[in-house]
């Protein structure tokens, strides 16, 4: 049953393209994690060495008064204030949105990753290292922190492609789009020609994007799974795991959009309906996403209830 459902999904060329593009992002994430982790530690050491006021032994003494809220942070002590100013010096988007709510400022003197999260997208407060982050979080850090010497246009092009993948309501992309994505991701990877683990993934991504995936319904002794034309084999469980990771990331993105009210409730309703219909047809994926769907459903219902109460509050009866 699982194999036949997978075969039916990959029989749709545009869905298969969507999964392949998403798989590339997973490969990109994996090869960036070690590099980013090392560079964040070097960046933090550099900050401490260059700024006498940033003593690792100097800690925030105000407790709960130095806690950021979303994009807002007004330090209540000298230590956090100096760290904030130093972070802003190195932020390429210092006049735009900075998600201070990702961070625990009291840990800035001793935890490099808490500093790094000031350069990343919203929703990462619970992430304690690069190994817990997705591709867009790592790409955003590289783009927003001037410690990373890179052509930022190439970074933003890959970020834009990632967002198009995650925001595709039908979870489909065209072959033309996929070829353009291949060009952009390879341009980005070329920026890191001296980093062995990043260089190593270049050919894997090229092979992935230029090959076809064929799912074979097995005979008695035939291996089941997904084969590249070049002969690289993915098992059914591996393909299924890739799909699950992409769908979880998509649902998390929808949850954050709903939580931050970045899109209209009706748009979330429409996206939810599409995902629910997709999962209704694909039981092999539905089981592993129950918790994610319930979390999103619950938040969406809360917003709907709040919306329904607002008009009532404006009536004479509501005012009385």
């Amino acid at each position: 049953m699982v194999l036949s459902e997978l075969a039916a999904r990959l029989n749709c060329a545009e869905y298969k393209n969507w999964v392949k593009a998403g798989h590339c992002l997973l490969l990109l994430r994996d090869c960036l994690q070690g590099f980013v982790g090392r560079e964040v530690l070097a960046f933090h050491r550099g900050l401490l060495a260059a700024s006498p006021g940033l003593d690792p032994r100097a800690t925030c003494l105000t407790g709960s008064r130095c806690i950021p809220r979303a994009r807002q942070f007004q330090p209540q002590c000298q230590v956090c204030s100096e760290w904030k100013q130093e972070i802003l010096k190195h932020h390429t988007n210092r006049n735009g949105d900075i998600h201070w709510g990702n961070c625990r400022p009291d840990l800035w003197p001793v935890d490099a990753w808490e500093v790094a999260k000031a350069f990343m997208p919203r929703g990462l407060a619970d992430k304690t290292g690069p190994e817990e982050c997705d591709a867009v979080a790592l790409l955003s850090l590289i783009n927003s922190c001037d410690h990373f010497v890179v052509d930022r246009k190439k970074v933003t092009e890959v970020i834009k492609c990632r967002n198009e993948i995650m925001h595709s309501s039908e979870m489909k992309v065209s072959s033309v789009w996929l070829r353009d994505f291949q060009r952009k991701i390879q341009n980005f990877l070329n920026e890191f020609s001296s980093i062995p683990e990043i260089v190593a993934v270049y050919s894997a991504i090229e092979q992935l994007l230029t090959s076809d995936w064929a799912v074979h319904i097995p005979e008695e002794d035939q291996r089941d799974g997904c084969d590249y034309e070049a002969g690289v084999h993915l098992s059914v469980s591996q393909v299924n795991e890739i799909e699950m990771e992409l769908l979880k990331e998509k649902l998390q993105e929808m949850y954050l959009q709903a939580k931050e009210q970045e899109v209209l409730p009706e748009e979330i309703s429409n996206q939810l309906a599409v995902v629910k219909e997709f999962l209704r047809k694909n039981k092999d994926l539905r089981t592993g996403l129950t918790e994610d769907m319930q979390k999103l459903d619950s938040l969406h219902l809360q917003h709907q209830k709040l919306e329904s109460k607002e008009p009532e509050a404006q009536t004479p009866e509501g005012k009385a």
Side-chain angles (χ1 to χ4, degrees), residues 114-279:
E114 287 300 322
V115 174
K117 288 192 288 188
F119 299 89
M120 300 167 82
R122 81 279 190 264
L124 297 169
D126 62 337
K127 307 302 181 188
T128 60
E131 67 284 349
E132 296 179 14
C133 294
D134 59 17
V136 75
L138 302 175
L139 289 167
S140 296
L141 169 59
I142 290 169
N143 189 50
S144 298
C145 181
D146 67 5
H147 172 78
F148 295 92
V149 181
V150 64
D151 183 339
R152 284 177 164 72
K153 182 182 177 183
K154 294 179 180 179
V155 186
T156 55
E157 284 185 339
V158 178
I159 291 173
K160 183 182 176 184
C161 288
R162 177 269 177 192
N163 290 340
E164 289 171 354
I165 292 168
M166 286 300 130
H167 299 161
S168 169
S169 59
E170 298 289 336
M171 293 165 285
K172 295 176 181 178
V173 297
S174 70
S175 295
V176 172
W177 186 95
L178 194 66
R179 286 193 293 273
D180 188 53
F181 173 59
Q182 179 182 352
R183 178 181 62 80
K184 289 174 179 175
I185 200 168
Q186 289 178 334
N187 283 343
F188 168 76
L189 291 172
N190 284 333
E191 292 288 296
F192 302 92
S193 56
S194 63
I195 312 299
E197 65 264 38
I198 298 179
V199 172
V201 86
Y202 186 101
S203 58
I205 285 177
E206 182 176 35
Q207 185 181 51
L208 167 62
L209 291 175
T210 56
S211 62
D212 188 23
W213 280 357
V215 175
H216 304 292
I217 305 297
E219 301 286 339
E220 285 184 16
D221 298 323
Q222 185 180 7
R223 181 173 59 179
D224 62 335
C226 178
D227 291 286
Y228 296 140
E229 287 175 343
V232 178
H233 178 79
L234 287 178
S235 69
V236 168
S237 63
Q238 287 174 314
V239 180
N240 194 257
E241 186 178 331
I242 292 165
E243 290 179 289
M244 289 289 289
E245 282 204 64
L246 296 179
L247 289 165
K248 279 180 175 290
E249 186 174 339
K250 180 178 177 64
L251 290 173
Q252 175 65 8
E253 183 75 11
M254 289 170 62
Y255 178 83
L256 290 172
Q257 285 182 321
K259 185 179 179 181
E260 302 288 332
Q261 299 183 340
E262 295 173 351
V263 297
L264 295 171
E266 50 264 39
E267 186 176 335
I268 293 292
S269 290
N270 294 337
Q271 290 182 39
L272 260 176
V274 171
V275 174
K276 284 179 178 178
E277 178 60 17
F278 175 81
L279 294 178

Side-chain angles (χ1 to χ4, degrees), residues 67-131:
I67 294 181
R69 309 289 180 191
R71 298 175 180 86
Q72 304 299 318
F73 181 42
Q74 299 300 327
Q76 301 299 306
C77 76
Q78 185 64 26
V79 173
C80 290
S81 182
E82 289 189 19
W83 272 100
K84 179 183 177 181
Q85 291 308 311
E86 198 63 28
I87 287 168
L88 286 171
K89 283 182 191 176
H90 294 278
H91 211 298
T92 62
N93 191 37
R94 62 179 65 92
N95 297 319
D97 287 338
I98 297 177
H99 297 278
W100 299 107
N102 282 337
C103 308
R104 282 189 55 186
D106 61 307
L107 294 178
W108 281 343
V110 294
D111 190 335
W113 194 250
E114 287 300 322
V115 174
K117 288 192 288 188
F119 299 89
M120 300 167 82
R122 81 279 190 264
L124 297 169
D126 62 337
K127 307 302 181 188
T128 60
E131 67 284 349

Side-chain angles (χ1 to χ4, degrees), residues 8-44:
R9 288 195 297 275
L10 296 189
N11 194 42
C12 172
E14 291 184 324
Y15 175 76
K16 180 161 60 175
N17 289 341
W18 184 79
V19 176
K20 288 166 73 172
H23 189 192
C24 285
L25 291 176
L26 298 178
L27 292 173
L28 182 62
R29 174 202 67 189
D30 293 346
C31 78
L32 286 177
Q33 286 171 341
F35 165 72
V36 165
R38 295 191 299 272
E39 291 303 312
V40 164
L41 288 173
F43 175 57
H44 191 256

